[in-house]
Amino acid sequence: MKHIKLLTTDFLALEYNAVDDYLIANWQGELTNEAIMQGYENILFYIKKEHCHKLLDNHYNVQGLWAELAEWCAYDWNPRAVAAGLQYHAVVYANSHFSRLSTDKAMRLVKSGIIEGFDTVQDAEGWLTFMR
């Protein structure tokens, strides 16, 4: 079995790719600030639990603007994730223009770890598989 389901909520499905050793976070819908923070705390929990160094953060099905949490993601969550072992963070841009702007803002603010944005899940998977 390649993907192991870890968590499913109304806005986030977390899986672990056991073959290629990375977490997959599939986000969906119009997210509240509380949902985003809760979701990223869940991701952090599984980064630690699975001793995982890579994250595929799929925002493709996210709608809306969440730019006010970009600083929290970059300055609070990301340093804690890097300290927990996260080295490579691949983000799939949302189909929604406003959500994409929020993702770009958060990525620009990140100062530690390696984070890259991609238009497709396949490109993000390829990059994570390449990064060893």
Side-chain angles (χ1 to χ4, degrees):
M1 177 181 279
K2 186 173 184 176
H3 289 201
I4 299 166
K5 292 187 186 296
L6 302 173
L7 174 76
T8 303
T9 69
D10 291 340
F11 54 88
L12 177 64
L14 279 175
E15 300 177 352
Y16 175 63
N17 180 323
V19 173
D20 297 315
D21 190 31
Y22 61 85
L23 288 178
I24 303 162
N26 289 308
W27 297 85
Q28 66 179 16
E30 194 159 331
L31 305 175
T32 64
N33 289 351
E34 180 180 283
I36 293 167
M37 292 174 83
Q38 179 185 357
Y40 276 107
E41 293 301 332
N42 286 326
I43 292 168
L44 181 59
F45 172 82
Y46 283 106
I47 286 171
K48 293 175 184 176
K49 184 176 184 210
E50 301 298 333
H51 305 284
C52 198
H53 305 291
K54 300 183 222 175
L55 171 63
L56 193 162
D57 202 4
N58 184 359
H59 294 195
Y60 190 80
N61 291 314
V62 171
Q63 288 115 33
L65 188 64
W66 55 272
E68 66 249 16
L69 276 186
E71 289 183 6
W72 177 83
C73 288
Y75 300 142
D76 184 318
W77 182 85
N78 187 73
R80 290 186 291 130
V82 169
L86 182 65
Q87 295 174 344
Y88 304 105
H89 186 166
V91 180
V92 178
Y93 287 114
N95 197 29
S96 158
H97 175 71
F98 291 113
S99 185
R100 185 179 180 121
L101 291 174
S102 301
T103 300
D104 274 337
K105 181 178 179 182
M107 288 175 53
R108 277 194 313 274
L109 296 173
V110 167
K111 301 296 181 215
S112 57
I114 298 172
I115 187 167
E116 292 286 333
F118 299 91
D119 290 321
T120 68
V121 170
Q122 293 78 15
D123 288 344
E125 287 174 332
W127 181 75
L128 284 175
T129 302
F130 178 74
M131 304 309 280
R132 298 266 177 216

